[in-house]
Amino acid sequence: SDDSTHRRVLGKLNTSYHLTSDLMVYLTASQGYRRGGANAVPTAGQFAQNPGFVAFQPDTVLNYELGLKGELGRTFKFTVDLFQEDWNKPQLNILTPVGAFYAAVNGNTARSRGVEVSLEERLSKELSVSTAYTYTDAELSSGFVVAGTTFGGDGTRLPGVPTNQLSLGADYLRPIGADYSIIAHANTAYRSE
């Protein structure tokens, strides 16, 4: 058994400026935190794990975002932003060297940066369409070793983070009487590896 106590004060700064009544630029800087924990791996017997795989520590992130939001002609809305996240002691899922048990471990540092674009157009009173695209470059910014085993080097792509994501959607609104409406929604999404 083991226990630990962690205390952390997190901050967030968000500021925006209206360039016009329909166009706003914004900047956000924020901190994030996840608690640590323990892995359910054997500590004795044939598949006993090195004690370095039993527990993992908290991780923290600094997030920066610069964006532009706007509306054109009351029918077209858009958001474009650039982001970067600097991650310290990232919690990463691995397979242990003995028995291939799933475990969370701490890396050293990682970075994620990219661009997001979101567009929405109201084609008529009833029909609107939308699309969103995200490009993300997420990788370890330093290699790491846990219990004598190397799991990733500088520049290794972070698992579970697709480089490209695209979604398309459509909404159709049809009033039924004075008090009710029916909304039909269709969407599709694509995620790269």
Side-chain angles (χ1 to χ4, degrees):
S1 68
D2 190 15
D3 62 52
S4 62
T5 302
H6 302 276
R7 290 187 175 86
R8 182 89 187 194
V9 175
L10 301 176
K12 180 177 181 179
L13 170 69
N14 181 266
T15 186
S16 61
Y17 179 75
H18 283 271
L19 301 169
T20 69
S21 61
D22 296 327
L23 187 61
M24 177 185 76
V25 63
Y26 66 92
L27 175 67
T28 300
S30 60
Q31 296 174 308
Y33 169 86
R34 287 189 298 183
R35 64 172 180 77
N39 293 305
V41 295
T43 56
Q46 181 180 357
F47 296 107
Q49 301 300 314
N50 182 302
F53 293 107
V54 173
F56 56 97
Q57 299 302 310
D59 62 355
T60 58
V61 68
L62 290 173
N63 173 65
Y64 307 96
E65 187 175 339
L66 174 64
L68 187 66
K69 285 183 161 192
E71 187 175 331
L72 302 173
R74 304 285 182 213
T75 61
F76 181 73
K77 296 179 183 178
F78 68 92
T79 302
V80 178
D81 69 75
L82 302 171
F83 64 88
Q84 177 157 327
E85 297 171 349
D86 296 320
W87 207 357
N88 188 38
K89 298 293 179 193
Q91 295 173 10
L92 303 167
N93 293 320
I94 56 96
L95 294 174
T96 62
V98 179
F101 291 91
Y102 285 103
V105 297
N106 292 97
N108 288 324
T109 56
R111 177 205 31 81
S112 176
R113 62 180 161 204
V115 61
E116 298 172 311
V117 178
S118 174
L119 309 170
E120 182 182 335
E121 174 76 26
R122 181 166 295 284
L123 299 174
S124 69
K125 235 175 158 179
E126 295 86 15
L127 182 63
S128 63
V129 293
S130 61
T131 186
Y133 172 74
T134 303
Y135 170 81
T136 306
D137 178 23
E139 62 186 31
L140 294 174
S141 48
S142 62
F144 73 102
V145 176
V146 178
T149 302
T150 300
F151 286 98
D154 184 7
T156 301
R157 181 145 185 84
L158 289 178
V161 182
T163 301
N164 296 288
Q165 295 181 78
L166 176 68
S167 66
L168 303 168
D171 288 294
Y172 182 77
L173 176 89
R174 184 72 177 198
I176 300 176
D179 297 326
Y180 297 98
S181 297
I182 291 179
I183 299 175
H185 176 79
N187 67 307
T188 186
Y190 164 79
R191 290 171 56 125
S192 62
E193 281 186 8

